[in-house]
Amino acid sequence: MLLGMILYLALLTNIARYISPSAALETLLLTVAAITGVFIVRARRRAAIQRAIAARRLAAARDRVLRINDIVLDPSLTEEERLLIIDGFIPEFRAQGVPDPRYGPLNDRFVVVSDLLPKFRQVLERVRKAASIVHASDVKRLGLLDGVGNDVILPRETWEIARLLLRQTLLIQRQSEARRGVVLTPELKAVLAPQEAALVRSFEATLHRVGIVEEYARRVQEADAALRAQALLGGTTISTEPCWHRPTTSRACDT
């Protein structure tokens, strides 16, 4: 393209011999403006392509973070806050000095599942499995469940349980550190005993909340079974009343 511009300018120089100086100058200025415009358009196009490539790479890096790092995010996070947390786990950003999100201003808005003790991971997996059963159910797909209950309350309940399990993990770790390398004196026992009792109560309450979500998932499965049985018997209609009840009571779907 540059060679073409040079040849074009040479042609204008020859033409200028046969036209007035003012017309030649005007022609030259218009030519320069046209050439500048072409280069600007091309530069903008290249910049747009580079931005698109960078955006695709960033999206792929974020997807890798979520695949490699099992993270439970606070569902009330804004999209900007959510991406800020995820970006903190991208190795390239960490190499550039981006701090670990665990020590950032949003460190209490997410839980890395690998940070939990193994038995607590199993508890979290139970509630996540129950939630996935609900989301994959036929009655949800057909709109027979309360959308707010399933799309808002279930993720909130999963997040709150994950956060409780992380707090319990940290408390157990602190107690283990307090016992390490010292004699377990009566004074130390007096300090640790109330904390251990509180931990037991907190864990029992967490298990109760998990049980409520699991019971709701079981009722949803029963509703699915009833729906399929009705379809096999000839397609009689079923109630379209929402059957979600917030997972803090023992009631759930009644078919």
Side-chain angles (χ1 to χ4, degrees), residues 11-12 38 43 47 69 77-78 84 96 127 151 183 190 194 208 246:
L11 177 62
L12 287 178
V38 169
N69 303 277
L77 286 166
T78 65
L84 186 62
Q96 295 171 9
V127 72
D151 298 334
V183 177
H208 179 67
R246 181 183 176 88

Side-chain angles (χ1 to χ4, degrees), residues 141-239:
R141 177 176 55 83
L142 294 173
L144 303 179
L145 299 179
D146 179 11
V148 173
N150 292 289
D151 298 334
V152 177
I153 297 177
L154 265 182
R156 167 59 56 181
E157 193 70 7
T158 301
W159 155 246
E160 290 180 356
I161 288 171
R163 184 171 56 175
L164 285 171
L165 293 172
L166 178 61
R167 290 176 178 174
Q168 293 160 10
T169 292
L170 295 175
L171 180 57
I172 290 175
Q173 291 172 344
R174 283 197 295 268
Q175 290 178 337
S176 297
E177 291 173 0
R179 289 187 176 91
R180 187 177 299 119
V182 298
V183 177
L184 197 59
T185 63
E187 292 80 8
L188 183 56
K189 289 181 179 179
V191 173
L192 294 177
Q195 295 181 358
E196 292 173 346
L199 178 60
V200 170
R201 291 193 300 270
S202 176
F203 185 58
E204 290 176 348
T206 303
L207 289 178
H208 179 67
R209 294 177 71 165
V210 172
I212 290 172
V213 179
E214 289 178 323
E215 174 63 15
Y216 174 62
R218 186 183 68 80
R219 293 294 186 92
V220 169
Q221 287 179 313
E222 291 176 353
D224 265 4
L227 187 69
R228 294 175 188 180
Q230 289 179 356
L232 291 173
L233 290 173
T236 55
T237 58
I238 63 174
S239 172

Side-chain angles (χ1 to χ4, degrees), residues 6-82:
I6 294 173
L7 292 174
Y8 184 62
L9 288 174
L11 177 62
L12 287 178
T13 302
N14 291 328
I15 294 174
R17 299 174 183 175
Y18 305 101
I19 60 178
S20 65
S22 61
L25 178 60
E26 183 179 354
T27 302
L28 180 61
L29 292 176
L30 289 173
T31 301
V32 171
I35 294 173
T36 302
V38 169
F39 278 109
I40 290 175
V41 169
R42 293 191 65 183
R44 289 178 177 176
R45 187 177 301 167
R46 284 196 299 269
I49 292 173
Q50 291 171 353
R51 286 194 299 269
I53 293 173
R56 286 197 296 270
R57 288 176 178 171
L58 180 57
R62 287 167 172 167
D63 288 340
R64 283 196 301 273
V65 165
L66 294 178
R67 286 198 307 269
I68 297 172
N69 303 277
D70 191 3
I71 304 173
V72 180
L73 294 163
D74 182 349
S76 65
L77 286 166
T78 65
E79 183 63 12
E80 182 180 358
E81 291 171 334
R82 177 178 171 276

Side-chain angles (χ1 to χ4, degrees), residues 84-130:
L84 186 62
I85 291 171
I86 294 172
D87 290 350
F89 287 94
I90 296 177
E92 293 83 357
F93 289 176
R94 293 286 290 276
Q96 295 171 9
V98 174
D100 188 327
R102 294 179 182 90
Y103 306 104
L106 299 172
N107 63 346
D108 60 344
R109 307 291 299 281
F110 69 95
V111 172
V112 179
V113 177
S114 61
D115 289 343
L116 302 177
L117 291 175
K119 72 172 184 178
F120 291 159
R121 291 180 216 160
Q122 295 173 2
V123 173
L124 179 60
E125 182 57 29
R126 284 171 53 188
V127 72
R128 295 170 97 179
K129 181 179 179 180

